Short mmCIF file of all heavy atoms in Angstrom, two decimals:
data_model
loop_
_atom_site.label_atom_id
_atom_site.label_comp_id
_atom_site.label_asym_id
_atom_site.label_seq_id
_atom_site.Cartn_x
_atom_site.Cartn_y
_atom_site.Cartn_z
N THR A 646 129.99 81.15 106.59
CA THR A 646 128.80 80.22 106.97
C THR A 646 127.98 80.94 107.94
O THR A 646 128.35 81.58 108.85
CB THR A 646 129.54 79.00 107.77
OG1 THR A 646 130.47 78.40 106.87
CG2 THR A 646 128.39 78.12 108.13
N VAL A 647 126.74 81.04 107.40
CA VAL A 647 125.60 81.75 108.32
C VAL A 647 124.72 80.70 108.82
O VAL A 647 124.37 79.78 108.04
CB VAL A 647 124.84 82.77 107.31
CG1 VAL A 647 123.94 83.56 107.94
CG2 VAL A 647 125.82 83.50 106.44
N SER A 648 124.33 80.78 110.04
CA SER A 648 123.46 79.89 110.56
C SER A 648 122.47 80.45 111.66
O SER A 648 122.60 81.51 111.99
CB SER A 648 124.35 78.81 111.37
OG SER A 648 124.91 79.52 112.43
N CYS A 649 121.33 79.61 111.85
CA CYS A 649 120.35 80.12 112.72
C CYS A 649 119.66 79.00 113.33
O CYS A 649 119.41 77.87 112.51
CB CYS A 649 119.29 80.99 111.88
SG CYS A 649 117.87 81.42 112.86
N ASP A 650 119.29 78.90 114.59
CA ASP A 650 118.56 77.81 115.26
C ASP A 650 117.06 78.16 115.03
O ASP A 650 116.59 79.33 115.44
CB ASP A 650 118.90 77.74 116.63
CG ASP A 650 120.28 77.15 116.91
OD1 ASP A 650 120.85 76.67 115.89
OD2 ASP A 650 120.80 77.16 117.99
N ILE A 651 116.21 77.18 114.70
CA ILE A 651 114.79 77.32 114.62
C ILE A 651 114.23 76.31 115.56
O ILE A 651 114.51 75.13 115.32
CB ILE A 651 114.35 77.21 113.18
CG1 ILE A 651 115.02 78.12 112.12
CG2 ILE A 651 112.76 77.49 113.13
CD1 ILE A 651 114.67 77.82 110.72
N ALA A 652 113.43 76.82 116.51
CA ALA A 652 112.80 75.84 117.42
C ALA A 652 111.42 75.74 117.13
O ALA A 652 110.66 76.71 117.01
CB ALA A 652 113.08 76.35 118.89
N ASN A 653 110.95 74.44 117.21
CA ASN A 653 109.64 74.06 117.05
C ASN A 653 108.98 73.95 118.48
O ASN A 653 109.10 72.99 119.16
CB ASN A 653 109.33 72.76 116.31
CG ASN A 653 107.97 72.41 116.08
OD1 ASN A 653 107.01 72.96 116.80
ND2 ASN A 653 107.66 71.49 115.24
N LEU A 654 108.16 74.99 118.86
CA LEU A 654 107.62 75.14 120.29
C LEU A 654 106.32 74.37 120.41
O LEU A 654 105.87 74.27 121.57
CB LEU A 654 107.50 76.59 120.61
CG LEU A 654 108.79 77.47 120.45
CD1 LEU A 654 108.41 78.97 120.80
CD2 LEU A 654 110.00 76.97 121.22
N GLY A 655 105.90 73.83 119.35
CA GLY A 655 104.56 73.22 119.48
C GLY A 655 104.57 71.76 119.54
O GLY A 655 105.61 71.10 119.69
N ASP A 656 103.40 71.11 119.36
CA ASP A 656 103.32 69.60 119.53
C ASP A 656 103.05 68.90 118.12
O ASP A 656 102.69 67.78 118.09
CB ASP A 656 102.13 69.29 120.42
CG ASP A 656 100.89 69.79 119.97
OD1 ASP A 656 100.83 70.48 118.84
OD2 ASP A 656 99.90 69.66 120.70
N ARG A 657 103.31 69.73 117.01
CA ARG A 657 103.22 69.06 115.75
C ARG A 657 104.50 69.28 114.93
O ARG A 657 105.03 70.28 114.86
CB ARG A 657 102.11 69.71 114.99
CG ARG A 657 100.67 69.46 115.47
CD ARG A 657 99.63 70.39 114.72
NE ARG A 657 98.35 70.15 115.14
CZ ARG A 657 97.46 69.36 114.55
NH1 ARG A 657 97.88 68.69 113.50
NH2 ARG A 657 96.21 69.21 114.98
N ASP A 658 104.85 68.11 114.31
CA ASP A 658 106.18 68.27 113.40
C ASP A 658 105.70 69.23 112.26
O ASP A 658 104.58 69.32 111.89
CB ASP A 658 106.52 66.91 112.82
CG ASP A 658 106.90 65.83 113.90
OD1 ASP A 658 106.92 66.28 115.08
OD2 ASP A 658 106.99 64.70 113.56
N CYS A 659 106.67 69.81 111.74
CA CYS A 659 106.45 70.67 110.63
C CYS A 659 107.52 70.82 109.57
O CYS A 659 108.66 70.36 109.83
CB CYS A 659 106.03 72.11 111.11
SG CYS A 659 107.43 73.08 111.56
N THR A 660 107.32 71.29 108.41
CA THR A 660 108.37 71.73 107.47
C THR A 660 108.35 73.06 107.30
O THR A 660 107.26 73.83 106.96
CB THR A 660 108.12 70.93 106.09
OG1 THR A 660 108.11 69.53 106.33
CG2 THR A 660 109.22 71.38 105.12
N GLU A 661 109.55 73.76 107.51
CA GLU A 661 109.56 75.26 107.41
C GLU A 661 110.54 75.71 106.29
O GLU A 661 111.59 74.96 106.17
CB GLU A 661 110.06 75.81 108.79
CG GLU A 661 110.55 77.25 108.83
CD GLU A 661 109.43 78.26 108.64
OE1 GLU A 661 108.16 77.86 108.40
OE2 GLU A 661 109.62 79.43 108.80
N THR A 662 110.19 76.69 105.62
CA THR A 662 111.13 77.31 104.56
C THR A 662 111.84 78.37 105.22
O THR A 662 111.18 79.44 105.60
CB THR A 662 110.45 77.66 103.27
OG1 THR A 662 109.78 76.58 102.72
CG2 THR A 662 111.40 78.36 102.43
N ALA A 663 113.11 78.11 105.57
CA ALA A 663 114.03 79.23 106.05
C ALA A 663 114.57 80.09 104.92
O ALA A 663 114.99 79.41 103.94
CB ALA A 663 115.11 78.59 106.98
N GLU A 664 114.53 81.34 105.08
CA GLU A 664 114.90 82.31 103.97
C GLU A 664 116.15 83.04 104.36
O GLU A 664 116.26 83.59 105.42
CB GLU A 664 113.71 83.09 103.73
CG GLU A 664 112.39 82.44 103.34
CD GLU A 664 111.14 83.24 103.50
OE1 GLU A 664 111.29 84.46 103.44
OE2 GLU A 664 110.16 82.67 103.77
N LEU A 665 117.05 83.07 103.36
CA LEU A 665 118.34 83.81 103.64
C LEU A 665 118.17 85.17 102.78
O LEU A 665 118.02 85.23 101.61
CB LEU A 665 119.52 83.08 103.09
CG LEU A 665 120.76 83.93 102.99
CD1 LEU A 665 121.34 84.14 104.46
CD2 LEU A 665 121.91 83.07 102.30
N TYR A 666 118.32 86.36 103.56
CA TYR A 666 118.34 87.58 103.00
C TYR A 666 119.69 88.20 103.18
O TYR A 666 120.34 88.24 104.11
CB TYR A 666 117.28 88.43 103.61
CG TYR A 666 115.80 87.97 103.21
CD1 TYR A 666 115.16 87.04 104.09
CD2 TYR A 666 115.20 88.39 102.22
CE1 TYR A 666 113.95 86.56 103.78
CE2 TYR A 666 113.94 88.00 101.86
CZ TYR A 666 113.28 87.09 102.59
OH TYR A 666 111.99 86.57 102.34
N ILE A 667 120.12 88.97 102.14
CA ILE A 667 121.27 89.72 102.16
C ILE A 667 121.02 91.20 101.75
O ILE A 667 120.22 91.41 100.79
CB ILE A 667 122.40 89.14 101.18
CG1 ILE A 667 122.71 87.76 101.67
CG2 ILE A 667 123.61 90.02 101.12
CD1 ILE A 667 123.80 87.03 100.86
N THR A 668 121.64 92.14 102.36
CA THR A 668 121.50 93.62 102.16
C THR A 668 122.92 94.18 101.76
O THR A 668 123.87 93.93 102.44
CB THR A 668 121.00 94.34 103.25
OG1 THR A 668 119.70 93.94 103.43
CG2 THR A 668 121.00 95.92 102.90
N ASP A 669 123.03 94.75 100.54
CA ASP A 669 124.27 95.42 100.12
C ASP A 669 124.17 96.89 100.52
O ASP A 669 123.42 97.65 99.69
CB ASP A 669 124.48 95.20 98.64
CG ASP A 669 125.74 95.86 98.22
OD1 ASP A 669 126.44 96.53 99.04
OD2 ASP A 669 126.11 95.76 96.94
N ARG A 670 124.69 97.33 101.66
CA ARG A 670 124.27 98.56 102.23
C ARG A 670 124.74 99.75 101.39
O ARG A 670 124.06 100.81 101.24
CB ARG A 670 124.91 98.71 103.60
CG ARG A 670 124.51 100.00 104.39
CD ARG A 670 123.01 99.87 104.70
NE ARG A 670 122.62 101.15 105.39
CZ ARG A 670 122.33 102.22 104.70
NH1 ARG A 670 122.48 102.31 103.45
NH2 ARG A 670 121.99 103.39 105.33
N PHE A 671 126.01 99.64 100.81
CA PHE A 671 126.50 100.80 100.02
C PHE A 671 127.04 100.10 98.63
O PHE A 671 127.84 99.19 98.74
CB PHE A 671 127.57 101.55 100.70
CG PHE A 671 127.08 102.30 101.75
CD1 PHE A 671 127.15 101.80 103.10
CD2 PHE A 671 126.49 103.53 101.57
CE1 PHE A 671 126.62 102.64 104.23
CE2 PHE A 671 126.02 104.27 102.63
CZ PHE A 671 126.06 103.83 104.05
N ALA A 672 126.68 100.79 97.51
CA ALA A 672 127.05 100.26 96.13
C ALA A 672 127.16 101.48 95.22
O ALA A 672 126.97 102.68 95.64
CB ALA A 672 126.13 99.18 95.64
N SER A 673 127.33 101.25 93.91
CA SER A 673 127.43 102.35 93.01
C SER A 673 126.08 102.70 92.46
O SER A 673 125.87 103.74 91.83
CB SER A 673 128.29 101.97 91.83
OG SER A 673 127.73 101.02 91.12
N VAL A 674 125.05 101.86 92.75
CA VAL A 674 123.71 102.30 92.56
C VAL A 674 122.75 101.92 93.87
O VAL A 674 123.32 101.05 94.57
CB VAL A 674 123.09 101.53 91.29
CG1 VAL A 674 123.70 101.92 89.98
CG2 VAL A 674 123.11 100.11 91.52
N ALA A 675 121.75 102.52 93.94
CA ALA A 675 120.82 102.24 95.12
C ALA A 675 120.45 100.81 95.06
O ALA A 675 120.00 100.27 93.97
CB ALA A 675 119.60 103.12 95.05
N ARG A 676 120.57 100.05 96.12
CA ARG A 676 120.34 98.55 96.13
C ARG A 676 119.17 98.33 96.98
O ARG A 676 118.74 99.12 97.88
CB ARG A 676 121.49 97.85 96.65
CG ARG A 676 122.78 98.12 95.89
CD ARG A 676 122.90 97.38 94.61
NE ARG A 676 122.80 95.97 94.70
CZ ARG A 676 121.95 95.15 94.22
NH1 ARG A 676 120.88 95.67 93.46
NH2 ARG A 676 121.92 93.83 94.23
N PRO A 677 118.43 97.23 96.85
CA PRO A 677 117.38 96.81 97.62
C PRO A 677 117.58 96.76 99.08
O PRO A 677 118.67 96.47 99.45
CB PRO A 677 116.95 95.41 97.04
CG PRO A 677 117.45 95.41 95.77
CD PRO A 677 118.78 96.19 95.71
N VAL A 678 116.63 96.99 99.85
CA VAL A 678 116.75 97.09 101.23
C VAL A 678 117.08 95.67 101.79
O VAL A 678 117.60 95.45 102.74
CB VAL A 678 115.43 97.57 102.08
CG1 VAL A 678 115.27 98.99 101.79
CG2 VAL A 678 114.16 96.80 101.57
N LYS A 679 116.73 94.64 101.03
CA LYS A 679 117.15 93.25 101.25
C LYS A 679 116.78 92.41 100.00
O LYS A 679 115.81 92.85 99.20
CB LYS A 679 116.44 92.67 102.44
CG LYS A 679 114.84 92.66 102.43
CD LYS A 679 114.21 92.25 103.64
CE LYS A 679 114.16 93.32 104.58
NZ LYS A 679 112.78 93.87 105.01
N GLU A 680 117.45 91.34 99.83
CA GLU A 680 117.22 90.45 98.75
C GLU A 680 117.24 88.98 99.16
O GLU A 680 118.21 88.62 99.91
CB GLU A 680 118.25 90.70 97.61
CG GLU A 680 118.15 92.02 96.93
CD GLU A 680 119.20 92.16 95.79
OE1 GLU A 680 120.43 92.31 96.18
OE2 GLU A 680 118.90 92.01 94.55
N LEU A 681 116.32 88.14 98.64
CA LEU A 681 116.44 86.74 98.92
C LEU A 681 117.60 86.23 98.15
O LEU A 681 117.74 86.42 97.00
CB LEU A 681 115.09 86.03 98.51
CG LEU A 681 114.99 84.60 98.78
CD1 LEU A 681 114.78 84.24 100.19
CD2 LEU A 681 113.97 83.88 97.89
N LYS A 682 118.46 85.41 98.88
CA LYS A 682 119.55 84.89 98.21
C LYS A 682 119.74 83.40 98.48
O LYS A 682 120.65 82.69 98.04
CB LYS A 682 120.82 85.61 98.65
CG LYS A 682 121.02 86.99 98.22
CD LYS A 682 121.24 87.07 96.75
CE LYS A 682 121.39 88.56 96.23
NZ LYS A 682 121.52 88.59 94.74
N GLY A 683 118.71 82.77 99.27
CA GLY A 683 118.66 81.37 99.36
C GLY A 683 117.50 80.96 100.22
O GLY A 683 116.99 81.80 100.83
N PHE A 684 117.10 79.70 100.07
CA PHE A 684 116.08 79.30 100.97
C PHE A 684 116.28 77.71 101.14
O PHE A 684 116.79 77.08 100.32
CB PHE A 684 114.62 79.58 100.41
CG PHE A 684 114.36 79.11 99.02
CD1 PHE A 684 113.98 77.80 98.82
CD2 PHE A 684 114.58 80.02 98.02
CE1 PHE A 684 113.61 77.46 97.53
CE2 PHE A 684 114.30 79.61 96.69
CZ PHE A 684 113.87 78.28 96.43
N LYS A 685 115.75 77.17 102.24
CA LYS A 685 115.87 75.68 102.45
C LYS A 685 114.51 75.35 103.18
O LYS A 685 114.25 75.99 104.14
CB LYS A 685 117.11 75.43 103.49
CG LYS A 685 118.48 75.43 102.75
CD LYS A 685 119.50 75.09 103.70
CE LYS A 685 120.94 75.06 102.92
NZ LYS A 685 122.00 74.89 103.90
#
Side-chain angles (χ1 to χ4, degrees):
T646 302
V647 186
S648 62
C649 171
D650 287 347
I651 307 175
N653 179 348
L654 307 178
D656 58 3
R657 290 170 180 265
D658 300 354
C659 77
T660 298
E661 166 71 353
T662 294
E664 302 160 26
L665 171 68
Y666 291 92
I667 298 180
T668 295
D669 181 356
R670 186 68 186 78
F671 290 97
S673 67
V674 295
R676 303 286 296 124
V678 291
K679 61 187 76 117
E680 291 180 288
L681 181 75
K682 290 291 184 182
F684 55 85
K685 280 181 182 173

